[in-house]
């Protein structure tokens, strides 16, 4: 199973929207996809139609060792797509795990268990912070997918995230790589969006995906209906952009994914 952490410690950059719609696009092409919602807000779970009443077990239980992947994964309305939902209990996991010697490797152990073989790829939706939950995701992942809002302050946050990635590489996961950076909430009417995009591409080069995700009201509406935008309105500019982005991502994934 390929493991990707969708991470950016800055909130409001379209991270969860990106996770949901990339997962849906991959599932639509026949991949067996697992989303691990590691954000205590649980927005990825809600956006995939998993009601709070369906969250008897969650990613909190996965981290605390109270259940394996097959015990906590829930089917979504999207064929081939399951989610490990999040509950507010997850906000206490960092405190509960702080004294554990394997606290940074809990998610890694869970995703390497035998039950994980039923999925081809796992997308880990990280919280908007660089705490123990995000570190667990970076230790477990093979690669990081970074959604980046096309605005000035996002650049400062990106540099902090890249420093954290280097620390995780040095201490826990030397094979960790950045699969790509996706520009989100791009407003073509705003000169600043274009300027930020140019700056990011000048620094990171081909690491930045060609596809940019535009500001689109349909992307914002879809979560309130509990469905991904690709299902809510597959022809809107946001959905079409995410389909294009998914194709780019597939081209960057390891060769072993081709047999999936």
């Amino acid at each position: 199973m390929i493991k990707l952490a969708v991470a950016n410690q800055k909130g409001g950059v379209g991270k969860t929207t990106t996770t949901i719609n990339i997962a849906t696009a991959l599932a639509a092409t026949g991949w067996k996809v697992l989303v691990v919602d590691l954000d205590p807000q649980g927005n990825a779970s809600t956006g995939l139609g998993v009601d709070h009443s369906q969250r008897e077990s969650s990613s909190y239980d996965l981290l605390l060792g109270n259940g394996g992947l097959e015990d906590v994964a829930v089917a979504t309305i999207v064929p081939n797509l399951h989610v490990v939902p999040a509950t507010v209990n997850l906000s206490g996991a960092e405190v509960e795990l702080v004294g554990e010697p394997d606290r940074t490797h809990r998610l890694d152990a869970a995703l390497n268990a035998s039950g994980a073989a039923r999925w081809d790829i796992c997308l880990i939706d990280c919280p908007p912070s660089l705490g123990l939950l995000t570190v667990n995701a970076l230790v477990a992942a093979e690669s990081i997918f970074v959604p980046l809002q096309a605005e000035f302050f996002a650049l400062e946050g990106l540099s902090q995230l890249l420093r954290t990635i280097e620390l995780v590489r040095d201490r826990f996961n030397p094979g960790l790589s950045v699969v790509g950076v996706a520009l989100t909430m791009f407003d073509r009417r705003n000169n600043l969006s274009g300027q930020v995009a140019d700056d990011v591409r000048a620094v990171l080069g081909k690491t930045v995906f060609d596809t940019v995700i535009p500001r689109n009201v349909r992307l914002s509406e879809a979560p309130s209906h509990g469905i991904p935008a690709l299902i809510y309105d597959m022809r809107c500019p946001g959905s079409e952009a995410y389909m294009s982005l998914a194709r780019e991502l597939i081209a960057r994934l390891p060769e072993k994914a081709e047999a999936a």
Side-chain angles (χ1 to χ4, degrees), residues 186-236:
F186 191 90
D187 188 347
R188 298 187 185 281
R189 301 167 299 177
N190 186 337
N191 290 335
L192 180 60
S193 288
Q195 183 178 343
V196 170
D198 291 341
D199 290 345
V200 172
R201 293 187 192 280
V203 174
L204 299 178
K206 293 183 179 180
T207 304
V208 184
F209 290 104
D210 292 333
T211 302
V212 298
I213 306 302
R215 284 192 177 275
N216 181 230
V217 67
R218 305 299 266 179
L219 292 180
S220 302
E221 290 174 352
S224 66
H225 296 273
I227 53 177
L230 267 68
I231 296 176
Y232 181 63
D233 185 354
M234 66 177 296
R235 298 188 184 279
C236 73

Side-chain angles (χ1 to χ4, degrees), residues 158-191:
L158 178 62
S159 63
Q160 186 178 357
L161 177 62
L162 294 176
R163 286 194 296 271
T164 301
I165 292 170
E166 286 299 325
L167 289 173
V168 172
R169 278 191 190 129
D170 291 342
R171 298 182 184 181
F172 307 116
N173 187 359
L176 185 64
S177 63
V178 178
V179 72
V181 174
L183 292 164
T184 62
M185 301 182 180
F186 191 90
D187 188 347
R188 298 187 185 281
R189 301 167 299 177
N190 186 337
N191 290 335

Side-chain angles (χ1 to χ4, degrees), residues 30-120:
W31 288 51
K32 294 180 178 63
V33 183
L34 176 67
V35 169
V36 176
D37 190 350
L38 215 58
D39 187 341
Q41 297 177 86
N43 291 336
S45 308
T46 302
L48 287 170
V50 179
D51 189 76
H52 286 277
S53 63
Q54 297 175 268
R55 306 181 197 181
E56 295 180 5
S57 297
S58 67
S59 52
Y60 169 83
D61 298 291
L62 194 66
L63 290 174
L64 271 293
N66 298 331
L69 277 179
E70 293 184 308
D71 301 316
V72 299
V74 176
T76 71
I77 59 171
V78 182
N80 295 323
L81 177 54
H82 288 76
V83 62
V84 176
T87 64
V88 70
N89 291 340
L90 193 59
S91 60
E94 295 196 9
V95 176
E96 294 182 52
L97 291 174
V98 71
E100 299 295 328
D102 62 343
R103 60 186 176 274
T104 59
H105 288 71
R106 288 299 186 97
L107 184 60
D108 184 43
L111 295 183
N112 285 325
S114 58
R118 64 182 289 195
W119 292 284
D120 301 316

Side-chain angles (χ1 to χ4, degrees), residues 115-131:
R118 64 182 289 195
W119 292 284
D120 301 316
I121 188 167
C122 173
L123 301 179
I124 308 166
D125 186 42
C126 298
S129 69
L130 293 175

